[in-house]
Amino acid sequence: DDVMILELDTGLTADAVEWCPLEGAQELLACGTYQLVEGTGERVGKLHLLELLPAEQESDGRPRLVSCASTTGIVSHGILDMKWHSCSSESCRLALATSHGSVVLLALNNKKVLERESSCSVEVSEGGLCLSLDFARDSSGLVGVSDSKGSVSLVDVGHESVLRQWGAHQFEAWITAFGSCPSEVFSGGDDSKLLKWDVRTSCEKPTASFKGHSMGVCSLHSHPSLDHVIASGSYDESLLLWDDRNASAPLKEGHLGGGVWRIKWYPSGPSHHHHHHQGLLAAACMHNGCWTLDCNVASGEPMELLHHYTGHGSLAYGVDWCKSRESCLQRPSPVAAEVGSIDGGGDVDGDGSSPPRKEPPLLLASCSFYDHSLHIWSTDIDRHPS
C-alpha cells in the first residue's frame, strides 16, 4: 500500500517535482513553485532542492534542506516545469521553464548545490509563459519548449539560442516531448490536439495528428527504453498509450478520474534492470490525486490501475519516481513512517543462507497546488514479470 513518509510546506503554490538522475545524487529532489501575486499580477516562484537522508543520519527522518532559492536568489520567476539532464556520468543540470518566457539552466556542483550557470538563460517566448520543456534523447543537449502562446521552440541551451520556433496550437501549448527519434517532437495543446513534428523540416505543418483526446492535452512522456512508445494525458481524464508511428488510434487507454496533468514512466537504466517495471507509470491527476499503474506495454493486456494516492488536499500537479534503487526504505510502521535504509547483504539465516528478499517499496514525490504541499511517499509494487 501507499505510505506517506513526509509532507513539506513549499510556501508558494507547488506544481513540479523532479528527482535527480545522477548516480550518487539520486536522493536529491527538486520542487518548483509558481504563484500569481494578487493585485500586482506578478508571477513569482521558488526552487527547493532537498536531499533525502537515511534515518540514522537524520533522527526525525526528514530531508535536509540543501538549498532554497527564493525570489531574491537563483530563480525569481514562476517555475511551470523542469527537467534534469545528465551531461556525463559526473555532471548534471536542471532546466526550468519560467513564467518570464525563458529557460533557465542550473548546474549541480559537487557539493550537491545548484548554481546559476554563467548567463545561461534563454528568452523563448516574449510576453508568454514557458509551460513545459524536454531534453532530446541524444547527446545534443537540445531542449523542446512549449508556451502559452501556442508555440513550440527548439532551443540550443549550450549556445543560448532558439534554433526554431513555430505556431503549433491555436491556444496554449501545454506540453511538449521528444520521441525516441531525436528529430521528432510531440506537442499537446488546449485545442485538444496531439501533434508530431519533424524538426528537420520547416514545421509549417505536423507530420501526424493523433486522434483520441476530447479535451486539452496537457501531459506527454516518451518511454525511456522502448522505441516509438509514448503516453499522453488530458483534461478529458484519460491516459492514452500510443505507437507513435500510428496516429489513427491509441494502443490502449485508461480513465483516471481527473485531469492528467503530469505522467512519468518508471526510469530505466543500469540500476533499473527489472524488466517487469517496464510498464510502470505514475500520473498526477489534479483533483483526483496520483495514480500508479501498469500499462502492460509488452502485452495486449489492458492498463491496470495499481495504487491511488489520495494524500493531497488540493490539485496534484507534479509527480516523479525516485531514481535511486540503493537507498531503499525500511518498511514503515503503521505508527510512524520514517526514512530508513536496508543493509545490502540482507538478513542471514542460521544456516548461513540469505532468505529471499521482498522487493523494497518504490519511492515517489508529488506536489499539490493551492495547499502548497510536497509529499514523499512509497508504494509496494509486487509484480510478476509479464
Side-chain angles (χ1 to χ4, degrees):
D1 291 336
D2 301 334
V3 177
M4 183 168 74
I5 294 159
L6 59 89
E7 176 180 1
L8 294 172
D9 186 339
T10 58
L12 303 177
T13 46
D15 62 358
V17 289
E18 295 281 331
W19 289 96
C20 183
L22 187 68
E23 291 283 346
Q26 293 179 343
E27 290 76 32
L28 290 180
L29 173 66
C31 179
T33 63
Y34 158 81
Q35 190 154 328
L36 186 65
V37 179
E38 289 186 29
T40 68
E42 185 185 7
R43 294 179 170 92
V44 298
K46 289 185 182 182
L47 176 67
H48 300 275
L49 184 65
L50 303 140
E51 183 174 12
L52 197 64
L53 297 176
E56 63 264 28
Q57 291 180 247
E58 201 69 75
S59 60
D60 62 358
R62 295 176 71 83
R64 173 164 57 92
L65 191 62
V66 177
S67 71
C68 174
S70 69
T71 49
T72 56
I74 296 177
V75 179
S76 58
H77 307 298
I79 300 164
L80 290 107
D81 192 23
M82 54 188 178
K83 293 286 192 313
W84 291 97
H85 182 244
S86 295
C87 314
S88 68
S89 61
E90 299 177 348
S91 65
C92 198
R93 54 192 178 172
L94 182 66
L96 311 174
T98 76
S99 61
H100 193 249
S102 61
V103 171
V104 175
L105 206 62
L106 307 172
L108 186 70
N109 67 20
N110 56 14
K111 295 180 178 147
K112 298 184 179 179
V113 174
L114 285 168
E115 298 174 335
R116 182 75 172 259
E117 288 193 287
S118 55
S119 68
C120 205
S121 176
V122 186
E123 298 300 320
V124 176
S125 178
E126 186 177 354
L129 287 69
C130 290
L131 298 176
S132 78
L133 53 77
D134 192 31
F135 279 94
R137 296 293 174 88
D138 57 14
S139 58
S140 65
L142 294 180
V143 178
V145 184
S146 70
D147 67 38
S148 59
K149 295 169 140 187
S151 295
V152 173
S153 304
L154 195 62
V155 178
D156 182 344
V157 288
H159 293 91
E160 298 179 46
S161 62
V162 178
L163 301 180
R164 180 168 304 158
Q165 185 175 85
W166 64 96
H169 297 272
Q170 287 178 287
F171 308 110
E172 290 92 346
W174 290 121
I175 190 72
T176 189
F178 278 94
S180 52
C181 175
S183 63
E184 291 181 346
V185 171
F186 297 80
S187 66
D190 209 50
D191 54 9
S192 308
K193 291 180 179 177
L194 169 55
L195 305 173
K196 178 165 74 169
W197 308 88
D198 185 340
V199 297
R200 297 170 299 185
T201 71
S202 62
C203 292
E204 289 179 16
K205 60 181 182 179
T207 54
S209 179
F210 293 75
K211 313 298 185 204
H213 288 298
S214 59
M215 296 177 71
V217 179
C218 43
S219 55
L220 287 169
H221 196 198
S222 293
H223 197 282
S225 61
L226 295 175
D227 288 348
H228 304 296
V229 174
I230 189 167
S232 63
S234 165
Y235 288 129
D236 65 13
E237 304 187 350
S238 67
L239 173 75
L240 303 183
L241 187 68
W242 304 89
D243 179 329
D244 67 24
R245 297 163 295 186
N246 178 14
S248 60
L251 296 170
K252 54 188 77 174
E253 62 183 284
H255 188 78
L256 302 186
V260 186
W261 184 257
R262 276 295 174 270
I263 51 178
K264 299 284 180 65
W265 290 106
Y266 185 76
S268 65
S271 60
H272 304 101
H273 55 271
H274 298 280
H275 175 72
H276 57 290
H277 285 162
Q278 203 171 50
L280 287 183
L281 183 140
C285 299
M286 298 176 74
H287 65 266
N288 199 32
C290 297
W291 281 100
T292 56
L293 57 155
D294 189 344
C295 292
N296 290 310
V297 289
S299 73
E301 296 294 315
M303 291 183 186
E304 180 185 357
L305 296 175
L306 298 176
H307 296 289
H308 190 197
Y309 181 74
T310 57
H312 286 293
S314 177
L315 299 175
Y317 272 147
V319 69
D320 198 21
W321 302 92
C322 181
K323 311 298 189 286
S324 174
R325 298 293 290 137
E326 303 304 320
S327 61
C328 301
L329 301 172
Q330 291 174 340
R331 195 160 296 281
S333 71
V335 180
E338 292 185 342
V339 179
S341 61
I342 294 175
D343 180 68
D347 295 324
V348 179
D349 289 342
D351 60 0
S353 64
S354 296
R357 291 180 60 185
K358 182 179 174 68
E359 189 164 319
L362 304 180
L363 193 64
L364 298 98
S366 54
C367 65
S368 48
F369 200 66
Y370 294 112
D371 60 349
H372 36 88
S373 186
L374 167 67
H375 291 196
I376 296 176
W377 46 284
S378 67
T379 187
D380 275 312
I381 308 285
D382 293 322
R383 313 296 296 141
H384 300 288
S386 54

